[in-house]
Amino acid sequence: MTYFIIIISAIFVNNIVLSQFLGICPFLGVSKKISTGIGMTGAVTFVMVIATIVTYFIQEFILEKFGITYLQTISFILVIAALVQLVEIVLKKVSPPLYQALGVFLPLITTNCAILGVAIMTVSRDYNLIEAVIFSASSAVGFGLALITFAGIREQLDLVNVPKGMQGAPIALVVAGLLAMAFMGFAGLV
């Protein structure tokens, strides 16, 4: 039952983007097309889950063991940066069009506060390894759900007449706010 609560909470109730406002840069920047949203979701999911596993072991067996937990943030950032470099190399070889589509936002995963936030939350919530992996995967799914839904709405907005003063970023922020309010409907669920 605990795992179910973690999953539902991370995807819907405490959505990393819409409830906790982490990962806003890729959420707004890569959400113009569903295809790039799916690619970013895959990259963020991979980095988030692997980073959570690696940072869990670093926290458990190095930082706490030697009493140097004050190095948590910098060590977690280094792990995330290394993983993003790995994803970048793989995407460049495997899918050059996706690599080009993600553009500057792929290196920005390094500084994506959603990934660092999830890694820190798993430690601060005292999750064991299985709970940490479930939480990070569910948070990534929640991130992807919000990103792909938002991308679909933005693609539809390109097909309608939007007043000139609301085109671009203003309408995107209004839609993001409405999407966040829609996800607030799940607040009493868990």
Side-chain angles (χ1 to χ4, degrees):
M1 190 62 170
T2 304
Y3 300 140
F4 180 72
I5 291 171
I6 291 172
I7 292 167
I8 297 300
S9 176
I11 294 173
F12 299 110
V13 180
N14 296 318
N15 186 287
I16 201 81
V17 176
L18 300 174
S19 174
Q20 298 179 22
F21 305 110
L22 297 174
I24 295 293
C25 180
F27 178 71
L28 292 174
V30 186
S31 61
K32 291 182 180 154
K33 296 174 93 180
I34 292 176
S35 59
T36 55
I38 291 170
M40 179 58 89
T41 298
V44 166
T45 301
F46 175 78
V47 172
M48 192 177 287
V49 171
I50 301 300
T52 299
I53 293 169
V54 173
T55 56
Y56 176 85
F57 285 117
I58 288 173
Q59 178 74 23
E60 197 73 24
F61 297 112
I62 297 173
L63 299 178
E64 287 180 2
K65 185 176 182 180
F66 295 109
I68 54 173
T69 54
Y70 58 90
L71 293 175
Q72 179 187 61
T73 304
I74 192 71
S75 62
F76 285 13
I77 289 172
L78 289 173
V79 166
I80 292 166
L83 288 170
V84 169
Q85 289 301 312
L86 177 69
V87 168
E88 203 168 348
I89 291 168
V90 169
L91 275 181
K92 192 182 258 186
K93 296 283 183 195
V94 174
S95 180
L98 180 59
Y99 176 78
Q100 291 297 324
L102 292 176
V104 71
F105 294 101
L106 189 58
L108 285 178
I109 294 176
T110 305
T111 57
N112 186 343
C113 54
I115 295 170
L116 179 61
V118 167
I120 290 174
M121 279 187 252
T122 58
V123 170
S124 68
R125 293 179 180 177
D126 223 14
Y127 285 151
N128 62 37
L129 182 60
I130 295 169
E131 291 170 338
V133 170
I134 289 172
F135 175 71
S136 66
S138 300
S139 294
V141 168
F143 175 85
L145 178 66
L147 179 64
I148 294 166
T149 303
F150 189 55
I153 293 170
R154 286 186 76 179
E155 280 187 0
Q156 292 298 313
L157 283 174
D158 289 341
L159 303 174
V160 297
N161 264 342
V162 176
K164 190 166 180 79
M166 288 296 290
Q167 291 176 356
I171 194 69
L173 292 173
V174 168
V175 169
L178 292 171
L179 196 56
M181 288 186 351
F183 272 68
M184 282 177 54
F186 295 107
L189 191 62
V190 178

